[in-house]
Amino acid sequence: MNNEWRNRWREGRIGFHRDAVHPALAHYWPTLSVAGDSKVLVPLCGKSLDMRWLAERGHPVLGIELAEEAVAQFVAEGSGDVSRYRHGVFEVCRQGLVELWCGDFFHFHIDQALEVEAFYDRAALIALPEATRQRYAFHLAQLLPPGARGLLISLTRQDGPDKGPPFSVAADEVERLFSPNFELARQAVLPPDERGFAEEIWTLVRRGPHRDAPGDG
């Protein structure tokens, strides 16, 4: 999976990237009532413009991305000075309020997420094969404090083989993965696009005070 993801960026096979801010973010993020200065975690962030939208509203953003090409393109397409440093196994680029940590999301530890109070997932869950999604949901929960709020956009596809990524993730799987550690509510199901994918919009709140659940981190 890691090599496949890197190859997609190297070869420009990034049809999953949007050239505009996702409308569901602009519509549903305000309903979460996240404090304006709360740091937002964006797993498997790519070079998403959604991170700039969050930063423009005062949120420090911590994006985690495996592909060096995605990080380089995000910085090149932005404006402002860039600072670079190393934090553990991650190479970090900072531009304005956005920090991009280049490395494996599963190597990102709770000690590195102490200031995170919210999260946004448009492309992480659906980028992972079924065998890895349980690990992702548990690891995400471990990184977030009780009360942390987030927005999740999943995809479902009724017809055709699920070759992914992006992968189809049914609503019952989303509930099974996240309900042990989150209160979650499905806010909307959008009409299928030309590929047959229907987006489902979820809001989540991290349960507390405990951070343990079945699975591995």
Side-chain angles (χ1 to χ4, degrees):
M1 176 62 195
N2 286 357
N3 289 335
E4 167 66 15
W5 191 250
R6 289 190 177 102
N7 288 338
R8 280 173 172 261
W9 279 96
R10 288 169 185 155
E11 298 165 9
R13 293 185 290 123
I14 54 172
F16 46 81
H17 173 72
R18 294 179 65 99
D19 292 327
V21 173
H22 198 294
L25 174 63
H27 183 79
Y28 289 99
W29 187 263
T31 71
L32 293 172
S33 298
V34 176
D37 59 351
S38 296
K39 179 174 280 191
V40 181
L41 177 67
V42 185
L44 281 67
C45 61
K47 61 172 184 175
S48 173
L49 295 177
D50 295 346
M51 293 188 287
R52 299 201 190 279
W53 186 92
L54 290 164
E56 287 167 0
R57 279 142 190 84
H59 293 293
V61 176
L62 196 165
I64 303 176
E65 171 55 46
L66 185 65
E68 299 91 338
E69 292 80 2
V71 174
Q73 290 176 31
F74 180 87
V75 170
E77 294 167 7
S79 60
D81 295 336
V82 178
S83 59
R84 305 174 189 273
Y85 61 95
R86 189 169 185 85
H87 196 297
V89 297
F90 291 87
E91 295 289 342
V92 183
C93 289
R94 180 183 179 92
Q95 187 177 52
L97 287 178
V98 180
E99 285 184 352
L100 297 183
W101 292 51
C102 188
D104 190 330
F105 173 72
F106 295 110
H107 295 163
F108 188 77
H109 298 294
I110 188 172
D111 290 345
Q112 298 166 315
L114 295 178
E115 298 178 353
V116 170
E117 298 179 277
F119 74 95
Y120 173 60
D121 175 355
R122 185 192 75 80
L125 180 69
I126 60 175
L128 299 171
E130 183 178 4
T132 309
R133 294 197 284 263
Q134 172 78 46
R135 184 184 180 199
Y136 166 76
F138 178 71
H139 189 60
L140 178 65
Q142 293 297 95
L143 296 174
L144 297 168
R149 298 171 182 270
L151 188 67
L152 166 69
I153 302 176
S154 61
L155 295 176
T156 59
R157 187 179 184 186
Q158 300 301 320
D159 302 314
D162 189 11
K163 295 182 179 179
F167 294 99
S168 176
V169 185
D172 58 353
E173 182 180 355
V174 174
E175 292 175 347
R176 175 176 57 80
L177 291 174
F178 290 97
S179 60
N181 289 305
F182 295 88
E183 297 176 10
L184 72 163
R186 187 169 58 175
Q187 301 295 335
V189 180
L190 305 183
D193 62 16
E194 65 278 1
R195 300 171 300 170
F197 281 110
E199 292 183 313
E200 299 190 346
I201 316 301
W202 303 80
T203 54
L204 296 88
V205 180
R206 179 68 168 93
R207 300 182 190 274
H210 301 295
R211 296 193 177 202
D212 51 345
D216 57 352

